[in-house]
């Protein structure tokens, strides 16, 4: 198990280029199974979850060719379905939550698919009902034998469905199955995150007929086959938000390059409401060094609340970053994590470092900003999940003294060479 040793209290200065979007990559990579023709994808992040999925596709018989930094060509002309019955497939697919999105493409093209119970972050219950209810609406049958989820459907037919939740992965999975179903499919209460928009645009370039892209109602006219395409992924909005919070906490002057600002939704506005100055320079975001930043209040003077909700609301993946950034702000903010009940439990480590945080219940935490009146102190801690891990890293970078973060494999799952990139702009992070 690897660890980071962080010497805190250093101000950073320089430029950072965000990696490709992790959550988009997991969808886009599964979609290569929908065609026998070559699919070329650019700006793929070099992170553990994505690399594991690429390896899994290769083991399934997809020809994978690296053609440049972050660019791969995939040819799924001869997929070996027998591999799905092997212990190796069970082990590899179970280690990766994104593997669940292999089911939609396999069902569409091969009329059947199976995955073991998927892994991923331990952030609370993450049910898969939306996926399988959607497949059943299309005419597939679903079975779970305790080890494997299996779907089969010889004749998928379009249907109207109202999803029980606006699940990002659920919408993506059902969408990929529906593009090759007979007739018209309407998916209402669909997730509409930029990742879904990117997937829909890619599928349309491959010959799919998807209308309503960017809305919560997708209308799909089924086609018999799809073609190859080229696709370039968005920069990772979660990494961009993480860098904004890091710059504010460490009083650093940082420029984040090529952010595709129109795709960030309300993310910049939420950080501005924490009092953080952001300057848009073309498609770059410049964060000047700030001694103090003041948390806003509501118009009636009420305490600011930051809560997650489906897009175009604020993404739950950045609530941990907002929470840690608020530690050195002036003012008070309530963080309300609605979607996962175990994502705030890392705050005990922040409290041990000196933060003033009240964990109200599994979903809510109140942060009373220190306003730079006291510096956090370095401690030893462990990363429980990807986003909490980076939040602890931000806290450690701002702290007085040395911190050790164990279980950094969790951070590596979502952030590409984070230590090397931050060291290049003045951080002192040693990988042990």
């Amino acid at each position: 198990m690897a660890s980071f040793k962080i010497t805190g209290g250093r101000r950073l200065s320089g430029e950072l280029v965000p990696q490709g979007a992790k959550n988009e990559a997991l969808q886009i990579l599964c979609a290569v199974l929908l065609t026998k023709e070559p699919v070329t994808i650019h700006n793929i992040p070099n992170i553990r979850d994505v690399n594991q999925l690429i390896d899994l596709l290769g083991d399934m018989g997809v020809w994978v060719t690296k053609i440049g930094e972050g660019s791969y060509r995939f040819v799924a002309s001869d997929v070996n379905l027998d591999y799905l019955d092997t212990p190796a497939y069970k082990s590899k697919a179970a280690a990766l939550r994104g593997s669940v999105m292999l089911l939609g493409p396999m069902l569409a093209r091969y009329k059947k698919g199976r995955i073991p119970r998927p892994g991923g972050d331990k952030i609370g219950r993450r049910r898969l009902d939306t996926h399988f209810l959607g497949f059943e609406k299309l005419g597939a049958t679903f079975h779970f034998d305790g080890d494997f989820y299996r779907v089969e459907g010889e004749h998928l037919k379009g249907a109207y469905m109202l999803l029980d939740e606006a699940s990002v992965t659920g919408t993506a999975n059902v969408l990929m199955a529906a593009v090759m179903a007979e007739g018209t499919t309407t998916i209402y209460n669909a997730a509409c995150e930029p990742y879904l928009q990117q997937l829909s645009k890619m599928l349309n370039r491959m010959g799919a007929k998807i209308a309503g892209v960017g809305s919560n109602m997708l209308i799909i006219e089924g086609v018999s086959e799809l073609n190859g395409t080229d696709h370039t992924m968005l920069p990772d909005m979660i990494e961009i938000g993480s860098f904004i919070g890091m710059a504010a906490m460490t009083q650093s002057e940082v420029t984040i390059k090529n952010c595709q600002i129109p795709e960030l939704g309300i993310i910049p506005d939420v950080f501005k409401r924490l009092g953080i100055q952001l300057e848009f320079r073309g498609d770059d975001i410049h964060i000047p060094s700030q001694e103090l930043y003041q948390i806003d209040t509501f118009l009636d003077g009420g305490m600011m609340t930051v809560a997650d909700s489906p897009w175009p609301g604020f993404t739950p993946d950045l609530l941990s970053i907002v929470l840690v950034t608020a530690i050195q702000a002036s003012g008070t903010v309530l963080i309300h994590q609605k979607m996962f009940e175990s994502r705030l439990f890392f705050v005990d480590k922040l409290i041990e470092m000196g933060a003033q945080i009240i964990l109200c219940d599994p979903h809510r935490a109140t942060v009373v900003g220190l306003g730079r009146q006291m510096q956090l102190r370095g401690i030893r801690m462990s990363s429980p999940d990807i986003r909490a891990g980076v939040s602890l890293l931000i806290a450690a970078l701002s702290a007085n003294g040395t911190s050790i973060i164990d279980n950094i494999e969790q951070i590596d799952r979502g952030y590409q060479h984070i230590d090397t990139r931050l060291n290049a702009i003045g951080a002192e992070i040693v990988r042990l």
Side-chain angles (χ1 to χ4, degrees), residues 323-369:
L323 186 150
V324 77
T325 304
I327 289 172
Q328 286 296 1
S330 295
T332 304
V333 62
L334 174 66
I335 306 296
H336 191 174
Q337 169 63 267
K338 299 175 183 176
M339 298 174 69
F340 303 105
E341 69 266 28
S342 302
R343 224 171 190 173
L344 297 181
F345 289 160
F346 75 101
V347 302
D348 62 332
K349 300 303 180 186
L350 300 175
I351 293 169
E352 188 178 344
M353 296 176 80
Q356 294 185 346
I357 303 173
I358 302 166
L359 184 60
C360 309
D361 56 44
H363 292 277
R364 295 177 301 161
T366 301
V367 184
V368 181

Side-chain angles (χ1 to χ4, degrees), residues 1-40:
M1 182 181 293
S3 303
F4 280 151
K5 178 182 177 183
I6 304 106
T7 302
R10 298 171 66 98
R11 295 196 183 194
L12 314 182
S13 179
E15 295 181 348
L16 291 165
V17 178
Q19 67 190 25
K22 167 187 177 282
N23 290 341
E24 178 186 342
L26 298 177
Q27 300 175 23
I28 296 298
L29 290 171
C30 292
V32 306
L33 292 175
L34 286 166
T35 179
K36 62 183 179 182
E37 296 185 7
V39 176
T40 302

Side-chain angles (χ1 to χ4, degrees), residues 70-133:
S71 296
Y72 288 80
R73 180 178 294 113
F74 302 88
V75 184
S77 57
D78 190 21
V79 173
N80 178 17
L81 295 181
D82 291 337
Y83 176 70
L84 305 184
D85 297 323
T86 66
Y89 174 71
K90 180 179 179 180
S91 174
K92 288 191 174 184
L96 178 68
R97 186 164 186 83
S99 64
V100 70
M101 287 181 288
L102 294 169
L103 283 177
M106 285 195 288
L107 182 60
R109 187 169 166 205
Y110 301 106
K111 313 305 179 188
K112 62 180 180 179
R114 57 184 281 165
I115 59 154
R117 187 193 297 269
D121 283 330
K122 307 305 180 187
I123 55 177
R125 288 169 291 181
R126 306 174 75 182
R127 59 190 181 88
L128 298 174
D129 301 53
T130 304
H131 302 246
F132 300 116
L133 291 171

Side-chain angles (χ1 to χ4, degrees), residues 37-55:
E37 296 185 7
V39 176
T40 302
I41 305 175
H42 305 286
N43 201 30
I44 296 177
N46 182 14
I47 56 177
R48 287 187 62 193
D49 276 15
V50 170
N51 292 336
Q52 285 179 332
L53 182 55
I54 292 173
D55 288 344

